[in-house]
Structures are given as C-alpha cells and as structure tokens.
Amino acid sequence: MADPQADLQSVEAALEALLTDVAPLPGEQLPSEDAAGRVLAEPVIATRDVPPADNSAMDGYALRAVDAGSPLRISQRIAAGSAPSPLAPRSCARIFTGGEMPPGADCVVRQEVVAHREDSVLIPTGVHPGENVRRRGRDVAAGSILLAAGTRLEGAALGHVAGQGIVSVSVRRRPRVALLSTGDELVEPGQPLGPGQIYNSNRPMLTRLLERFGAEVVHTATLPDDFATTCRLLGEAAQRADVVVSCGGVSVGEEDHVKAALERLGRLDLWRLAMRPGKPLALGRLPHADGEARFVGLPGNPVSSFVGAWLYLRPLIGALLSCDALASLPRLPALAGFSTRTQARRHFMRVTLEFGEAGIVARAFADQNSAVLSSCVAADALADIPARSTIDEGDPISCLWLVSG
Ligand code: AMP
Ligand code: MG
C-alpha cells in the first residue's frame, strides 16, 4: 500500500504559492485619529523639527556655562509654553522642564545643586555647554522620513504623527474578508443546540485574528454540506471580498464540497502539507466583478484553523497591506520544557513562553490534538518541531512568536 505520508508538500511551498501575484490594495486618505492599526500606504515626511527649539530637560537654571561659579541674578522665569527673552548679561533664567532655552544661554543646571542667596543664585563650576538641553530637531529633523510606508500605526507611531501636527494620513484600504464556516453541524451561539450539533467557534476566533492582522470581515455565512448551496454562497462571498476564507470542508470526505465548488467556480490547488495540525490547505481564486478574490480554505478543526490563520492568513493580509512586519512570524530560540517525537510531519506545537534567567523555556500544552482548542487559548508561540526529530526536555528549539504585527 502506498505511504499516505509520501509526497506531502512543504509549508514554504504553500506560502510561496499563496503569496505569488498579490497586489497591495490601494491607499485611502484617513483622519489620523481614525487610523489606529492601519498601515501607511505612503511615507510620512516630517515638516517640522521636533522639538521645535532647544529646551530644558530639567527643572533648574539656564545660563552661559562660562558664567558658572559666581553669583547670578535671576532675570526671567521660563515655564513650558512661554516664550523666552534673550538672556541678560551676567544673569540666569529660572527654567522648567520643556521650557524653551533663552537665546544666549547654553546649558541648564538642575535646581538641586544650586545655592540660593537673597537676590541671586550660586551655580557650581564644572558646567558644560549643552548640559541638560534637548536640542532642536533631536527627535525629528524637518524633511526626514518620519514613518516609512508599510508602518503599522500603533501607539508610538500615532504619537509621532501627532507630534508633527498632521491630521490626515494615507493608509492602505483594509483587506475585505468573507469568512465562511462549513458544516451541517454548526450552530451560532445564542441558538439552542440540537443533537449532533456544535457551536461555531471558528467564526469569532478567525474574525478576531483577521482583525488583529489588519483585515476587515465584511461578510460571514455558514455553508451547508451540500454542493449546490456551497457553490451559490461561495460565489456570493467572492463578490464582496478581496479574500474568501473558509474553514472546514476541504478534506476529501463525502461531505467536503468546498473543493468541488471551487473547481466549478474558479481555480483551486489542494495542498497536502507535511505539517501538524492541519494537513489539508486549499488555495485558489474566485472571479469577481473587477478581478478575482483570493481563496484560502483552512481545515475545520479549531486548532488547525487557528494555526493556519497565523501561518497563512497573516502573511496574506500582510502582502495585501504591503506590511513587512506581517510577512513572517518572528522566531525566538527557546529551550523545550517538554519532550516529543515527530514522524513525517513537522509539528507546530502550542506553547507558552517563560522568560527566565536561563533563557526562554517553552511549555507545551499537554494535549496537542487538533480538536483541542484549549491548547490555543494561552499559547504565546508555536514551537516549530521539524519532521523526524526527537526532542528531550532542555533541547534548543525554535518558536514562532504569535504577535499580530
Ligand atoms: P471538516 O474539515 O469540515 O471535516 O471539519 C473537521 C472538524 O472540525 C469537525 O469535527 C468539525 O465539526 C469541526 N469544525 C468545522 N468547522 C468548525 C467550526 N466553525 N467551529 C467548530 N468546529 C468546527
Ligand atoms: Mg465539515
């Protein structure tokens, strides 16, 4: 009998097929306050120096460094937000953090080391020009690239945009995803559960993951295990989306109609991958009004769907957004906190990571079966265990860190 594991294909080959000819989506102009999580379609060029003027890094006194060592009168008071006057000769200015340096002063001495006299202060010697001064343009120089195209706008990046006074940015349109569940057994939460039925856990799981990757789920449907309806609903989904994602129905069982429907409506490559969990993966194209939608058919087992989302949907969304941070999961070297053996298939084990003094230890959830979603809930990473290997506790392994970019 032929070896069922023979001629299994690699994850890398499937990824290459998946990411071939993916054109980034067009850009759109958005108010920056609505752009959180979005990906820049064009670089943001700085129009201003930040900070806009030299200012004090301390609460203290601004002076010319050469004047230190003799009593100086206090000629002005400069709080953050006030405009300073040029520094009068033989004087210093009381200044507060963020206060703009008065022209003529070249350093700030912190208040704790300054001795107060009746109407003057004594600044100790040993003070150098530039001390405790934040130079104009230290953070950002006008004309430089503030943020490169492809940057995901998270907290610090949004702060950087606001620091320029910019109120609108050009970001990629979010990939529109139609998310299809398949199977007569599926019921939505809120409905009563009949005999033989289960709740649809993949829909909310994949919706959330897709959103984290930067996509927008614009359409959902549940496909019954019936060829004609599967064809109709797949065709409808393709009209609304850049990407049609389905889960389940891509094995070669009698009730798996997605494959046949895809072949009828568009193009399909069915992959049998040398990986666990989730051997089958369907990749294809479905025609729609202005081109074609990408199709990704994940296996139905919740763990296989979860792992498939991280391994395949994340880079696909990343390619549509032209966002390098989403192209591949970061790898972390770790020590196995478990022992395991693999056969012909590479195993992506769900692990939690402990960051200890000896390094990172990866602890595997006890039950790594692909139907056990419990293994994914607390997972920080996928331990990438090569085929045909024996791992003992303490062995070095490589983990794919589950970060959304
Ligand atoms: P399939 O790939 O359709 O043969 O499904 C494999 C297994 O995953 C079966 O036990 C299904 O009941 C289960 N399954 C498929 N889709 C879902 C879903 N959306 N939520 C929970 N379990 C599912
Ligand atoms: Mg099914």
Side-chain angles (χ1 to χ4, degrees):
M1 198 179 97
D3 176 2
Q5 308 290 2
D7 71 357
L8 291 182
Q9 294 149 304
S10 73
V11 171
E12 285 73 18
L15 269 173
E16 204 185 311
L18 172 70
L19 300 177
T20 298
D21 298 333
V22 179
L25 293 170
E28 60 188 5
Q29 203 68 28
L30 263 196
S32 39
E33 61 183 19
D34 297 333
R38 303 292 293 267
V39 174
L40 285 176
E42 289 164 29
V44 178
I45 308 296
T47 55
R48 306 166 179 274
D49 288 332
V50 178
D54 291 357
N55 69 81
S56 176
M58 294 278 172
D59 290 339
Y61 297 86
L63 65 149
R64 289 175 199 87
V66 293
D67 289 343
S70 48
L72 297 175
R73 79 187 165 83
I74 301 171
S75 55
Q76 60 178 310
R77 186 176 187 281
I78 309 163
S82 61
S85 317
L87 189 67
R90 308 288 308 148
S91 83
C92 64
R94 181 75 170 116
I95 197 164
F96 299 91
T97 305
E100 214 167 272
M101 291 292 284
D106 59 16
C107 66
V108 171
V109 172
R110 62 195 167 93
Q111 61 194 20
E112 292 83 349
V113 301
V114 169
H116 291 256
R117 304 218 171 145
E118 224 156 74
D119 55 357
S120 65
V121 290
L122 183 62
I123 305 220
T125 51
V127 176
H128 304 287
E131 240 173 74
N132 298 322
V133 177
R134 303 170 179 150
R135 287 275 173 227
R136 170 179 183 161
R138 173 181 177 164
D139 187 358
V140 179
S144 64
I145 295 180
L146 184 82
L147 297 167
T151 302
R152 189 112 188 239
L153 294 174
E154 295 300 347
L158 289 167
H160 228 24
V161 168
Q164 289 288 313
I166 291 174
V167 293
S168 155
V169 285
S170 166
V171 295
R172 298 248 173 234
R173 173 164 80 60
R174 275 187 293 182
R176 296 183 187 128
V177 177
L179 180 57
L180 307 178
S181 316
T182 69
D184 287 339
E185 72 278 31
L186 298 181
V187 175
E188 294 309 309
Q191 305 298 314
L193 201 62
Q197 297 183 316
I198 58 169
Y199 284 118
N200 184 351
S201 40
N202 288 348
R203 177 180 293 171
M205 175 179 75
L206 292 173
T207 297
R208 177 63 189 144
L209 288 174
L210 284 159
E211 285 169 1
R212 282 180 67 191
F213 304 153
E216 179 186 16
V217 175
V218 294
H219 173 74
T220 59
T222 299
L223 278 44
D225 291 322
D226 156 87
F227 179 68
T229 318
T230 297
C231 286
R232 181 169 58 79
L233 295 179
L234 262 176
E236 270 176 36
Q239 297 316 312
R240 302 164 195 244
D242 304 302
V243 181
V244 176
V245 173
S246 76
C247 57
V250 293
S251 309
V252 281
E254 284 168 26
E255 300 297 343
D256 296 321
H257 299 286
V258 174
K259 175 175 177 282
L262 243 295
E263 278 163 349
R264 163 80 57 93
L265 299 174
R267 281 170 44 197
L268 180 82
D269 283 321
L270 194 60
W271 293 72
R272 293 173 65 244
L273 300 176
M275 67 172 275
R276 269 179 72 199
K279 182 166 61 179
L281 176 73
L283 301 179
R285 318 266 173 116
L286 281 163
H288 63 196
D290 42 86
E292 46 185 19
R294 291 273 167 162
F295 174 81
V296 180
L298 300 172
N301 270 319
V303 180
S304 307
S305 275
F306 176 83
V307 171
W310 285 99
L311 293 185
Y312 303 108
L313 299 183
R314 182 181 183 273
L316 177 60
I317 301 302
L320 288 162
L321 290 169
S322 202
C323 175
D324 288 345
L326 289 165
S328 57
L329 290 166
R331 277 191 182 271
L332 289 176
L335 300 174
F338 55 89
S339 55
T340 192
R341 249 193 139 93
T342 54
Q343 310 287 328
R345 291 194 279 158
R346 175 178 179 181
H347 194 184
F348 292 96
M349 297 175 70
R350 279 74 63 211
V351 295
T352 54
L353 300 176
E354 275 173 32
F355 294 80
E357 281 188 6
I360 304 171
V361 177
R363 306 237 174 251
F365 192 81
D367 187 348
Q368 293 282 327
N369 184 280
S370 64
V372 177
L373 191 56
S374 322
S375 69
C376 300
V377 175
D380 300 311
L382 301 174
D384 182 2
I385 312 295
R388 293 177 199 83
S389 55
T390 302
I391 302 291
D392 291 317
E393 207 163 323
D395 283 353
I397 55 168
S398 176
C399 293
L400 295 169
W401 201 0
L402 300 179
V403 286
S404 48

